Amino acid sequence: MVGYPEALTDPSYRGQILVLTYPLIGNYGVPSSTETDEHGLPTYFESGEIHIAGLVVSSYSWEHSHWAARQSLSEWLVEKQVPGMYGVDTRALTKKIREIGALLGNIVVVSSEGPPNSIPESQITTFSDPNARNLVAEVSTKSINVYGSSNSPSVIAYDCGMKYNIIRCLVDVHKVKLTVVPFDYDLEKNPSNIEWEGLFLSNGPGDPTMCPQTIKSIQYALNLDPPRPIFGICLGNQLLSLAAGAKTYKLKYGNRGMNQPCIDLRTGRCYITPQNHGFAVDSNSLPAMWKPLFINANDLTNEGIVHTDRPFFSVQFHPEASGGPLDTAFLFDKFVGHVRKISQPLVLQDGLAYQRQTVKKVLLVGSGGLSIGQAGEFDYSGSQCIKALKEEGIEVVLINPNIATVQTSTEKNEVTPGADKVYFLPIRPHVVMDIIAKEKPDGIIVSMGGQTALNVGVELWKTGQLQKAGVKVLGTQIDAIEATEDREIFSQKLQEIGESIALSYSANNVEEALEAARKIGYPVLVRAAFALGGLGSGFAENDAELKDLASKAFTVSSQILIDQDLRGWKELEYEVVRDSSDNCITVCNMENFDPLGVHTGDSIVVAPSQTLTNREFFMLRKTALKVVRHLGIVGECNIQYALNPKSEKYCIIEVNARLSRSSALASKATGYPLAYVATKLALGRDLVSIRNSITKTTTACFEPSLDYCVLKMPRWDLKKFNRVSNKLGSSMLSVGEVMSIGRSFEEVIQKACRMVNPSLDGLEGIDSNLTDDEIPLEEQIAVPTDTRLFAVQRALEEGWGVDKVYEHTKIDKWFLSKLENIARMRKACKDCGDVEKLFAENGTDRMRSLKMAGFSDQQIARYTNLTPLRDGTARVRAIRKSLGVIPCVKQIDTLAAEFPAETNYLYMTYSGNEDDVSEGLHDPIVSESDDESWPATPASKAFKNRIRSASLATSKSESLADKQERGVMVLGCGAYCIGSSVEFDWCAVSAIRQLRKDGFKSIIVNYNPETVSTDYDESDRLYFEELSLERVLDIYEREGAGGIVVSVGGQIPNNLAGSLASSGAKILGTSARDIERAEDRQQFSDMLDDMGLKQPAWSVARSMEEAVKFSEDVGFPVLVRPSFVLSGAAMRVASDEAQLKNFLGLAADVAADRPVVVTKFILGAKEIEFDAVANQGKILNYAIGEHLENAGVHSGDATVILPAQKLYVETIRQIKKYAVAISKALNITGPFNIQFMATGNDVQVIECNLRASRTFPFVSKTFHKNFISLATRAMCGLHVVPYNINLLDIDYVCVKAPMFSFTRLRGADPTLGVEMASTGEVACFGDDAPRAFLQAMLATGFKLPKAGSTVLLSIVNDNFRREFAESAITLSKMGYKLSATPGTARWYNANYNLDMKMVTKPVNSEDDGDDPATGAPSALSELKESDVELVINISEGTTRKDEISSGYIIRRTTVDYGISLVTNVKCAIWLVKSMERGYDKFKAKSVAEFYHLDV
């Protein structure tokens, strides 16, 4: 990955053809070959020439980017006349070398003037064996050279191919006078009369037995009395061994690279070392008084020897490491110390390795509901933690109110052990202490639940409650956590070890913040301490902006931080793991595509880093280890840097002493399970003893090798919110992320674009429809936004050039050059314009080049004008396959194929020649549907014809064993977004676990790194891949799967059902035709009319005029509803004609060619959820949940009560009757959800989703019956028996409450409507609904007003005021002071004599002065300056208004100042009722206690 200039000039590689496993090479060019150091040695190289015979890489970067580069790698190789080749499947080549052993090779350069067959065969088949040559003689110096002549002591170094960095290390660092002699210098005769006090034996190439002269001289030195210290490295280790009388042997494969783990046999410590050797010492042949000093932690070969009573020792690796890590540089200290006759300290094994934590019960604190900055990654971390704890036989108690998560599942088996007890309770300090008092755990883990868990742990420790209860904090201790969270302590800690952060000051009030900003100089970054995801942060250009930001930041933290602005610098991150024995490794390093200034959660991130040199990479790595050790972190953490793009200057941004979003990304990017390992380390295990969970044979104390590139791209949903700026900064705004894997940067960024937005075909500017023709491109690319990438691409497509784009964006030119390559290839395709012409010449090479660059079949079809696009895409697919261009399947195996790995963690790429895993044993099953009305493409017909005889003939008679062997593909949820979140991951995981339980091979396809479903332990085969038609068909055909489950991953896989079916794939469960009948608003409404089932009046919006006429006929308000969308996207309530016309345009954009329906919106109706599982049209089990809010609030934002508490018996009867009819009509098999509305006993159907809904985990965990497990069995055609669910036996209630992130979405109106706005959910159990409701509210982070504080009311009309009147009286009786806006105050004072204080409505966000006429204070001044702790603001709540109202200003200010807000009258009434009854005080009960299980 890094260090190719150093490796190519390493004399140890003399005569070898060097294969680099990382696919992208040449990124940072080659530095100056003329620049020298004070010794006259080349500054950046390890010798004066390139020593390799040839270079083989997968992908070469023709454009390089680095401030130190003076030429490209290609130019350097040409200059030195060394052949190099790219386009080779280096992974396949590595596997061959691994299996067969080091091979002889020959690179034959074909003349450009003659044909390839003109080369004589003898030239091709003639091999030169470098091992037959005396390579040491070739590379050793021919003269004696002295370095550091004024230094002392004097050391002779035998140059057997010595790297220049060894000279620098001994002379510059250790101040040694170094005399370098040829390998055959006779030390006994010492013809040059060199004075020496120590002997150094260098590295070098080839067989050590070819150096008899060197061995003879070493033997002379060994026999001197008194002894003189001897130290050897690499070849020097072998030479010392031979001189001592031991033997060496040729390794089959050799140990090379920069990440070989070696164990110090004196201490048990493991170090990461760089190596390059093909021979090893036979430890068994060591004579008396000699012992092994180091061994390789992976293959247990010898890595060093030591004499037991004389100062002789050597190591097989390179402590001076160039390139590579400097973890063992202390060995030079030891050697020079011996030479100086300084007593060397006794090194012993650290006793901490034996101090295992003796815990029997652990409390794991979860993260709660998903929010921006704290999402599904903590479900993955927590699930891994539970797995690790259960392996150690520890009882696990979990507190987490997020009912949608996998970790809160109560089903347990040997493969997927769950927590022993689960508490669905608010994560508050007093609640955690209640659980501790009840459960009496030995230890607590607070590092797996994000900032929520960490803050609770810190508070309980600082108040002494954990110590008093005798509960140990496992892993990183609280004082270390505080050192990373408190900026002043952190800065002080770094200064202690000579490191620094950016200029930064803490402030406890606005005045201190202003003073700090003036010290640093504007612009400055404002951040809240102890806050997640940059909450409460932003950039301030002046005092006014700072005051505003600081005021808001103080609402979420008592301390804020004022930081130096480093925007434009590179941002990098290292994931670090350390155990209690001080073994420390970096698992992954990542580089942000965007320069500093964009929160890393909102930046495109590439792993590993692409533009760092060896010096920069290991400089930052060395700092990371130093910082983590100094802080005393045990477990996993990450460290973030800012690196000057024009020098090696850097500063540390922060350290997160916990599992984070980046940890989940790094785990999935490398295959290294960070949370699992961190848990083991928290229990006192050491890294060396933990096994690599992929290879199963090697140690976990290693740094993964990546022979692929990974790219993370964020997913935003900012367009759902009016007035929210799409500008990106220091406060995170993204709601999810995707991760793509490939072997070229172009491939991964195009993949990621399709993953993050399924409507995109790849990375395009002009064709993306995401750039604005009204705004100059300069403006669109200068400021980071959620669409800047596409504006940058458009600029490149329009010929701006890399340099011009760089000046506007400061995005590294290497990244921009890759984007420009995509733009050029797009232009070439469009200029050709004809698919036959495009592939007429060199068709295979052209197609492969496009696919290697990440272009989809649909992109190629569109560029070559194939219409209709669906048929055109199928035609491109057929052409591609006829050319033999099909993707290869590669493994993520952590060690770049250097060790065998039976891993099921897979990705697909076109940059390869062979698969890592075998294909399925069966032909894929073709869909058995003979419905000719279902559209089919020419390619799908050919596909069906090709395999129909093979598949249909067998599928009808296939045994269960055959079906199980074929396996089932499960399509996951894709990126988390508003409307599709962790609940669908729970559904996918439930499905694959049930498949495995029933003996089916399970194949999961997903690309979300935050999920549990993408944990390779969960399925038989994990494809970390796109959920596109093209890629799903690739996998389906390759695996020969028995069918595809599309109904457990949300809307993305559900929308693929039709295309998959028409392409011949078998959809398990409900047919694709019936899915369309439910998703298509017009078809579904027609069906309901035909069946005589009631629904609101509706009409298809064929034209604007028809829609307006329909709306006028039925009366406003009306609901605009597009088809095939998720979370109510573009769904709007229009209250007049102008709104209707506006919303219809928006819906048409979202729906594309699908119908848009306008329905009458019914006010005051109750909304009801019906979740069920059916088999062949017959309902097996169902759950009826009622919404607390009236219809008009999206079901994802509603408070849902289960079992329903206030539905009439007749209402329930009608709901069941309608559901039975719909299930039968659509012949449903699998999960489905119907939403009803009821006015009195009048029930009407809203919609039906023939897939799992977001409430499936909620109903499954409430009833303690997994609905998805049942649905999976039904979809696989197994015998299914309904669960026995008797509502009369359920004497508890569960309430699900939404989790919002309005505090982050500056400008968003924090009110609810028909389009979903929540980012997560929680649920709590209670003996009755009000108890469960209040616990659920508290679990969302809602703060109850303290006794005697002020409650501000602003209620829109008399009906709502009347409805809330009893609650207003109750608040007054409870001692709360009441303030209200004029209309509300006058109404309550007149009707109930409540003596409410009147406050004026603000006209704008600056209107915080008193009313000059009445003297009444402004509502804004009340919120900012008085003791208001709760605002109840009830608006119309159904229409989306673009104008800024006083109600909006009140709501927005409430959120910005961290004051609790309620905007729904039903919720407000329930809140007051629960507060009055004192339900905020409750006894902690686990879910098992509610289920009445034996606990």
Side-chain angles (χ1 to χ4, degrees):
M1 183 180 69
V2 296
Y4 54 84
E6 292 85 353
L8 270 60
T9 55
D10 180 355
S12 296
Y13 280 118
R14 182 74 170 188
Q16 298 179 32
I17 296 174
L18 183 60
V19 179
L20 300 180
T21 58
Y22 186 68
L24 303 176
I25 298 297
N27 303 8
Y28 56 86
V30 177
S32 169
S33 57
T34 58
E35 183 180 329
T36 58
D37 61 18
E38 61 186 284
H39 309 296
L41 304 175
T43 303
Y44 299 105
F45 302 105
E46 290 307 301
S47 69
E49 61 178 297
I50 296 178
H51 286 282
I52 62 168
L55 181 65
V56 177
V57 301
S58 173
S59 178
Y60 173 65
S61 289
W62 290 101
E63 300 84 9
H64 62 273
S65 171
H66 196 270
W67 61 269
R70 295 296 178 268
Q71 61 185 149
S72 71
L73 173 59
S74 174
E75 290 166 341
W76 188 41
L77 290 173
V78 169
E79 177 187 306
K80 301 298 183 182
Q81 296 188 318
V82 176
M85 59 190 298
Y86 70 96
V88 176
D89 187 343
T90 50
R91 180 174 174 83
L93 183 55
T94 302
K95 289 172 68 179
K96 282 184 171 58
I97 297 171
R98 180 190 81 201
E99 290 158 8
I100 300 169
L103 301 165
L104 292 178
N106 192 7
I107 296 178
V108 179
V109 181
V110 180
S111 169
S112 58
E113 298 174 2
N117 56 12
S118 63
I119 302 170
E121 185 178 343
S122 60
Q123 186 178 344
I124 297 173
T125 57
T126 301
F127 294 93
S128 170
D129 184 356
N131 292 315
R133 294 156 32 198
N134 189 337
L135 298 173
V136 170
E138 294 180 23
V139 299
S140 179
T141 181
K142 304 299 185 286
S143 60
I144 296 172
N145 301 290
V146 179
Y147 301 92
S149 56
S150 61
N151 291 346
S152 175
S154 298
V155 171
I156 285 182
Y158 269 89
D159 179 8
C160 300
M162 184 160 62
K163 294 167 67 176
Y164 286 160
N165 207 48
I166 295 173
I167 298 173
R168 298 185 188 103
C169 185
L170 286 168
V171 177
D172 296 341
V173 177
H174 294 283
K175 305 303 179 185
V176 164
K177 177 184 177 183
L178 189 69
T179 304
V180 179
V181 301
F183 82 103
D184 56 358
Y185 184 81
D186 190 328
L187 188 60
E188 184 175 4
K189 292 181 179 178
N190 196 4
S192 298
N193 293 316
I194 302 168
E195 293 184 3
W196 63 282
E197 299 160 76
L199 179 63
F200 178 80
L201 311 173
S202 85
N203 64 292
D207 186 343
T209 60
M210 288 191 170
C211 303
Q213 306 97 317
T214 319
I215 295 169
K216 179 173 174 289
S217 291
I218 297 169
Q219 287 172 333
Y220 162 75
L222 288 172
N223 291 318
L224 290 175
D225 194 13
R228 301 185 198 181
I230 303 175
F231 177 39
I233 68 170
C234 196
L235 181 71
N237 179 57
Q238 299 157 23
L239 294 173
L240 181 61
S241 301
L242 290 170
K247 296 177 181 177
T248 59
Y249 63 97
K250 181 84 170 71
L251 291 167
K252 176 182 176 182
Y253 180 51
N255 285 331
R256 296 180 175 86
M258 301 179 186
N259 61 344
Q260 291 287 335
C262 292
I263 300 170
D264 186 335
L265 294 176
R266 299 166 300 171
T267 65
R269 287 273 300 279
C270 189
Y271 299 94
I272 304 302
T273 67
Q275 300 190 18
N276 174 19
H277 62 96
F279 289 81
V281 174
D282 179 0
S283 294
N284 294 325
S285 68
L286 287 171
M289 309 299 286
W290 289 89
K291 297 289 183 185
L293 179 58
F294 287 85
I295 60 168
N296 190 290
N298 284 336
D299 63 15
L300 304 182
T301 55
N302 179 272
E303 293 284 359
I305 62 171
V306 63
H307 197 279
T308 55
D309 66 356
R310 293 189 166 216
F312 310 148
F313 68 103
S314 58
V315 292
Q316 191 61 63
F317 45 83
H318 283 264
E320 92 296 343
S322 185
L326 295 162
D327 297 12
T328 55
F330 64 86
L331 293 169
F332 281 98
D333 299 338
K334 185 175 179 63
F335 168 61
V336 175
H338 280 307
V339 176
R340 288 199 166 104
K341 297 182 171 56
I342 299 171
S343 176
Q344 293 302 295
L346 182 64
V347 180
L348 297 173
Q349 185 160 353
D350 192 337
L352 286 174
Y354 296 98
Q355 294 179 13
R356 295 290 301 277
Q357 297 283 0
T358 54
V359 292
K360 295 180 180 178
K361 183 188 281 193
V362 168
L363 174 61
L364 173 62
V365 184
S367 62
L370 271 59
S371 60
I372 291 176
Q374 188 166 274
E377 64 271 11
F378 296 110
D379 186 26
Y380 168 70
S381 299
S383 298
Q384 287 278 300
C385 178
I386 292 168
K387 175 185 170 186
L389 290 170
K390 295 308 297 177
E391 283 181 0
E392 300 291 329
I394 293 170
E395 186 179 348
V396 182
V397 179
L398 170 68
I399 174 174
N400 192 353
N402 191 337
I403 203 160
T405 56
V406 175
Q407 65 179 251
T408 54
S409 294
T410 53
E411 301 107 317
K412 294 188 281 286
N413 57 55
E414 291 180 4
V415 179
T416 54
D420 296 280
K421 291 182 183 176
V422 179
Y423 285 84
F424 290 96
L425 290 173
I427 301 172
R428 303 285 178 95
H430 72 277
V431 178
V432 172
M433 285 312 301
D434 286 347
I435 295 172
I436 287 173
K438 178 180 176 183
E439 295 289 349
K440 296 180 173 51
D442 308 298
I444 185 171
I445 293 179
V446 297
S447 57
M448 304 284 173
Q451 200 70 41
T452 300
L454 207 63
N455 288 351
V456 166
V458 169
E459 182 172 339
L460 292 177
W461 184 262
K462 289 174 74 172
T463 56
Q465 294 178 74
L466 289 178
Q467 298 93 315
K468 187 177 178 181
V471 177
K472 290 177 281 191
V473 175
L474 302 181
T476 302
Q477 296 302 293
I478 298 298
D479 57 351
I481 292 169
E482 281 195 284
T484 63
E485 295 283 337
D486 187 299
R487 205 66 177 169
E488 286 186 359
I489 301 174
F490 185 55
S491 179
Q492 182 183 338
K493 285 281 188 184
L494 292 182
Q495 287 174 14
E496 290 170 3
I497 54 172
E499 297 294 339
S500 65
I501 57 174
L503 282 176
S504 179
Y505 298 96
S506 62
N508 298 306
N509 53 54
V510 174
E511 289 70 29
E512 289 182 10
L514 289 167
E515 183 183 344
R518 289 165 191 151
K519 284 182 188 174
I520 296 170
Y522 288 105
V524 293
L525 169 61
V526 181
R527 298 193 302 145
F530 295 94
L532 60 93
L535 181 62
S537 70
F539 290 96
E541 301 284 343
N542 49 52
D543 282 2
E545 290 185 11
L546 178 63
K547 285 179 182 177
D548 180 55
L549 273 172
S551 299
K552 292 173 181 175
F554 277 123
T555 66
V556 295
S557 177
S558 59
Q559 183 191 70
I560 67 169
L561 313 168
I562 311 299
D563 294 342
Q564 176 186 357
D565 180 12
L566 296 172
R567 283 178 289 184
W569 286 35
K570 293 182 182 184
E571 185 166 0
L572 298 125
E573 184 169 335
Y574 283 68
E575 299 296 321
V576 188
V577 175
R578 176 177 176 267
D579 65 19
S580 57
S581 297
D582 206 28
N583 294 307
C584 201
I585 59 172
T586 59
V587 169
C588 184
N589 97 306
M590 295 175 271
E591 177 177 3
N592 285 14
F593 174 88
D594 301 287
L596 200 71
V598 176
H599 189 282
T600 189
D602 281 338
S603 181
I604 295 169
V605 176
V606 190
S609 59
Q610 300 296 310
T611 67
L612 297 189
T613 63
N614 177 80
R615 284 164 61 119
E616 290 168 334
F617 180 94
F618 286 104
M619 170 184 72
L620 298 180
R621 180 189 175 278
K622 180 181 178 182
T623 299
L625 302 194
K626 181 168 69 170
V627 169
V628 168
R629 283 181 165 131
H630 186 65
L631 291 172
I633 289 167
V634 174
E636 192 273 349
C637 70
N638 63 63
I639 181 168
Q640 293 172 22
Y641 296 100
L643 177 67
N644 191 315
K646 297 179 180 178
S647 72
E648 291 180 354
K649 184 179 179 182
Y650 70 92
C651 61
I652 295 165
I653 301 172
E654 66 179 0
V655 171
N656 285 309
R658 57 172 171 82
L659 273 292
S660 66
R661 178 184 318 99
S662 302
S663 310
L665 175 65
S667 295
K668 302 297 170 65
T670 61
Y672 191 107
L674 284 165
Y676 172 86
V677 171
T679 304
K680 298 282 189 178
L681 301 184
L683 298 172
R685 290 278 297 275
D686 66 274
L687 278 165
V688 182
S689 66
I690 302 169
R691 292 294 87 189
N692 177 337
S693 59
I694 282 187
T695 64
K696 303 292 192 291
T697 57
T698 57
T699 178
C701 192
F702 76 106
E703 297 187 352
S705 302
L706 277 62
D707 58 358
Y708 50 87
C709 177
V710 165
L711 185 137
K712 180 269 285 185
M713 186 176 286
R715 160 71 192 243
W716 296 274
D717 270 332
L718 301 178
K719 289 182 173 60
K720 282 182 171 287
F721 304 96
N722 266 10
R723 291 183 289 275
V724 172
S725 169
N726 68 339
K727 291 181 181 178
L728 306 178
S730 60
S731 184
M732 184 174 161
L733 295 175
S734 63
V735 292
E737 62 192 33
V738 305
M739 186 183 94
S740 60
I741 309 172
R743 289 173 67 83
S744 74
F745 185 80
E746 295 92 333
E747 177 184 16
V748 292
I749 199 164
Q750 293 230 70
K751 266 188 174 183
C753 287
R754 291 190 289 270
M755 289 171 171
V756 87
N757 185 346
S759 66
L760 296 175
D761 292 333
L763 175 54
E764 298 171 316
I766 298 167
D767 298 336
S768 69
N769 297 319
L770 293 173
T771 58
D772 194 329
D773 293 335
E774 305 297 319
I775 302 174
L777 260 183
E778 287 89 344
E779 291 181 27
Q780 293 186 62
I781 70 172
V783 179
T785 66
D786 60 341
T787 57
R788 175 165 79 160
L789 174 66
F790 304 98
V792 166
Q793 193 63 19
R794 178 170 183 167
L796 293 168
E797 288 170 0
E798 293 182 0
W800 275 39
V802 166
D803 290 342
K804 185 177 178 182
V805 174
Y806 172 77
E807 289 306 315
H808 284 82
T809 64
K810 301 304 179 193
I811 296 169
D812 193 280
K813 290 182 182 180
W814 186 85
F815 293 125
L816 295 176
S817 70
K818 298 299 181 183
L819 303 192
E820 187 178 49
N821 189 36
I822 293 172
R824 286 174 179 159
M825 296 180 84
R826 169 187 176 273
K827 183 177 185 299
C829 291
K830 290 179 83 76
D831 287 350
C832 179
D834 180 87
V835 73
E836 300 294 342
K837 185 178 174 184
L838 182 62
F839 299 112
E841 293 183 23
N842 300 320
T844 300
D845 289 344
R846 285 187 172 187
M847 178 67 82
R848 190 176 297 282
S849 295
L850 285 167
K851 300 305 286 185
M852 287 169 66
F855 287 90
S856 66
D857 290 347
Q858 188 155 305
Q859 273 174 293
I860 298 168
R862 186 156 46 77
Y863 296 161
T864 53
N865 304 307
L866 293 177
T867 56
L869 190 55
R870 184 164 164 178
D871 288 352
T873 303
R875 186 176 170 196
V876 171
R877 181 179 181 85
I879 292 170
R880 172 170 60 77
K881 293 174 78 172
S882 71
L883 293 170
V885 180
I886 56 174
C888 290
V889 177
K890 298 291 186 183
Q891 295 172 309
I892 304 290
D893 65 1
T894 73
L895 288 168
E898 291 186 41
F899 286 86
E902 294 299 322
T903 179
N904 59 341
Y905 187 7
L906 312 170
Y907 70 99
M908 290 184 125
T909 180
Y910 285 90
S911 297
N913 302 326
E914 66 177 47
D915 296 326
D916 283 348
V917 294
S918 59
E919 293 189 21
L921 300 175
H922 301 270
D923 287 319
I925 288 184
V926 71
S927 174
E928 296 184 34
S929 171
D930 292 318
D931 185 352
E932 294 303 321
S933 67
W934 190 249
T937 63
S940 70
K941 289 175 182 174
F943 170 67
K944 288 182 179 182
N945 291 336
R946 188 172 73 250
I947 64 171
R948 184 179 293 276
S949 58
S951 64
L952 289 187
T954 59
S955 62
K956 289 185 171 61
S957 60
E958 255 189 337
S959 67
L960 176 60
D962 289 334
K963 292 178 181 178
Q964 290 169 328
E965 186 180 283
R966 276 185 176 278
V968 172
M969 280 178 66
V970 177
L971 304 189
C973 59
Y976 287 162
C977 58
I978 292 178
S980 179
S981 192
V982 69
E983 60 276 357
F984 291 113
D985 191 52
W986 177 88
C987 292
V989 170
S990 293
I992 56 180
R993 287 180 177 178
Q994 187 61 45
L995 286 169
R996 298 181 87 178
K997 187 177 178 181
D998 288 325
F1000 286 86
K1001 173 184 173 185
S1002 61
I1003 306 155
I1004 185 80
V1005 186
N1006 201 359
Y1007 49 75
N1008 185 337
E1010 302 176 77
T1011 57
V1012 177
S1013 62
T1014 51
D1015 174 9
Y1016 49 80
D1017 284 344
E1018 289 291 342
S1019 57
D1020 294 299
R1021 283 206 171 167
L1022 163 62
Y1023 281 90
F1024 215 105
E1025 271 300 335
E1026 300 174 57
L1027 288 166
S1028 62
L1029 175 64
E1030 176 182 337
R1031 187 44 41 91
V1032 172
L1033 283 176
D1034 288 338
I1035 298 169
Y1036 179 72
E1037 292 176 14
R1038 194 187 181 286
E1039 289 288 344
I1044 305 176
V1045 172
V1046 299
S1047 57
V1048 296
Q1051 199 65 40
I1052 290 174
N1054 213 44
N1055 284 355
L1056 282 175
S1059 300
L1060 287 169
S1062 65
S1063 298
K1066 181 177 179 62
I1067 303 300
L1068 297 181
T1070 309
S1071 74
R1073 188 72 190 88
D1074 287 318
I1075 291 172
E1076 175 168 306
R1077 290 171 63 204
E1079 288 285 344
D1080 186 301
R1081 303 287 188 193
Q1082 181 178 359
Q1083 291 187 51
F1084 184 64
S1085 293
D1086 280 336
M1087 184 190 82
L1088 294 181
D1089 284 347
D1090 292 343
M1091 295 168 65
L1093 303 184
K1094 293 182 181 179
Q1095 61 181 315
W1098 66 281
S1099 174
V1100 178
R1102 293 186 179 87
S1103 68
M1104 197 72 76
E1105 293 73 21
E1106 281 187 31
V1108 171
K1109 184 177 185 308
F1110 167 79
S1111 303
E1112 288 172 344
D1113 289 345
V1114 299
F1116 286 99
V1118 293
L1119 181 64
V1120 179
R1121 298 154 60 85
S1123 301
F1124 290 88
V1125 297
L1126 177 70
S1127 71
M1131 196 182 290
R1132 300 286 190 273
V1133 175
S1135 55
D1136 55 40
E1137 183 178 329
Q1139 284 188 344
L1140 175 65
K1141 290 180 177 178
N1142 180 23
F1143 297 159
L1144 279 170
L1146 182 65
D1149 289 342
V1150 171
D1153 57 347
R1154 307 288 195 175
V1156 176
V1157 169
V1158 180
T1159 63
K1160 169 64 180 170
F1161 184 77
I1162 299 172
L1163 295 167
K1166 180 178 280 288
E1167 194 163 332
I1168 300 148
E1169 297 272 345
F1170 185 91
D1171 289 298
V1173 176
N1175 188 22
Q1176 298 179 359
K1178 182 180 178 182
I1179 294 176
L1180 298 171
N1181 285 108
Y1182 66 89
I1184 298 175
E1186 73 179 302
H1187 290 197
L1188 179 57
E1189 301 86 351
N1190 281 341
V1193 174
H1194 189 278
S1195 61
D1197 290 346
T1199 307
V1200 183
I1201 304 164
L1202 187 71
Q1205 301 293 295
K1206 293 191 175 182
L1207 294 184
Y1208 299 121
V1209 173
E1210 177 59 22
T1211 301
I1212 293 173
R1213 193 183 67 79
Q1214 282 195 54
I1215 287 170
K1216 288 163 65 176
K1217 178 182 173 184
Y1218 280 20
V1220 167
I1222 291 170
S1223 179
K1224 185 177 179 181
L1226 294 172
N1227 193 30
I1228 300 173
T1229 296
F1232 69 102
N1233 162 272
I1234 307 176
Q1235 289 167 35
F1236 295 95
M1237 68 167 68
T1239 309
N1241 277 327
D1242 185 29
V1243 173
Q1244 299 186 68
V1245 179
I1246 301 176
E1247 67 177 0
C1248 174
N1249 292 305
L1250 296 190
R1251 56 169 172 79
S1253 72
R1254 69 183 55 80
T1255 44
F1256 262 70
F1258 170 57
V1259 300
S1260 295
K1261 291 175 186 177
T1262 300
F1263 288 163
H1264 196 215
K1265 307 292 181 187
N1266 193 318
F1267 276 36
I1268 294 297
S1269 295
L1270 185 71
T1272 303
R1273 287 180 59 81
M1275 289 186 286
C1276 290
L1278 301 177
H1279 175 66
V1280 284
V1281 178
Y1283 295 128
N1284 181 20
I1285 299 174
N1286 188 342
L1287 295 183
L1288 295 176
D1289 292 337
I1290 297 176
D1291 56 2
Y1292 55 85
V1293 179
C1294 191
V1295 173
K1296 178 176 79 74
M1299 187 95 175
F1300 298 97
S1301 297
F1302 288 124
T1303 48
R1304 290 189 175 278
L1305 299 165
R1306 289 183 188 150
D1309 189 349
T1311 189
L1312 308 181
V1314 291
E1315 184 168 9
M1316 188 172 166
S1318 60
T1319 53
E1321 63 187 40
V1322 296
C1324 291
F1325 290 74
D1327 296 325
D1328 56 38
R1331 291 177 200 269
F1333 167 80
L1334 188 57
Q1335 288 182 36
M1337 287 287 285
L1338 293 172
T1340 66
F1342 188 89
K1343 293 179 289 189
L1344 293 179
K1346 292 191 290 286
S1349 62
T1350 298
V1351 177
L1352 174 61
L1353 305 180
S1354 181
I1355 301 177
V1356 69
N1357 59 39
D1358 290 354
N1359 288 335
F1360 285 143
R1361 292 166 187 161
R1362 193 173 294 109
E1363 190 174 357
F1364 188 71
E1366 187 179 332
S1367 299
I1369 295 167
T1370 299
L1371 285 171
S1372 180
K1373 287 179 178 178
M1374 292 174 69
Y1376 290 104
K1377 294 173 287 186
L1378 300 180
S1379 295
T1381 49
T1384 304
R1386 280 193 291 267
W1387 193 89
Y1388 280 115
N1389 291 342
N1391 289 283
Y1392 293 95
N1393 196 26
L1394 282 179
D1395 192 26
M1396 287 187 183
K1397 176 183 175 181
M1398 187 183 297
V1399 296
T1400 60
K1401 288 184 174 183
V1403 177
N1404 55 51
S1405 58
E1406 307 299 320
D1407 184 11
D1408 55 6
D1410 294 348
D1411 186 329
T1414 64
S1418 164
L1420 293 192
S1421 64
E1422 282 284 291
L1423 292 170
K1424 294 177 181 178
E1425 298 166 13
S1426 77
D1427 63 344
V1428 175
E1429 294 191 6
L1430 173 63
V1431 174
I1432 296 173
N1433 178 280
I1434 313 300
S1435 62
E1436 292 290 351
T1438 55
T1439 58
R1440 175 168 167 166
K1441 298 185 178 70
D1442 289 327
E1443 70 273 10
I1444 295 178
S1445 65
S1446 59
Y1448 162 76
I1449 295 169
I1450 290 172
R1451 290 189 293 273
R1452 191 62 244 177
T1453 305
T1454 301
V1455 167
D1456 287 341
Y1457 281 82
I1459 299 168
S1460 296
L1461 173 68
V1462 180
T1463 61
N1464 183 274
V1465 69
K1466 302 286 187 189
C1467 289
I1469 291 167
W1470 274 59
L1471 174 64
V1472 174
K1473 183 195 306 180
S1474 302
M1475 287 166 54
E1476 181 191 21
R1477 296 178 183 177
Y1479 288 164
D1480 56 316
K1481 298 175 181 64
F1482 48 83
K1483 181 182 176 184
K1485 289 175 68 174
S1486 71
V1487 71
E1489 292 174 81
F1490 286 105
Y1491 295 156
H1492 300 297
L1493 301 177
D1494 292 331
V1495 291

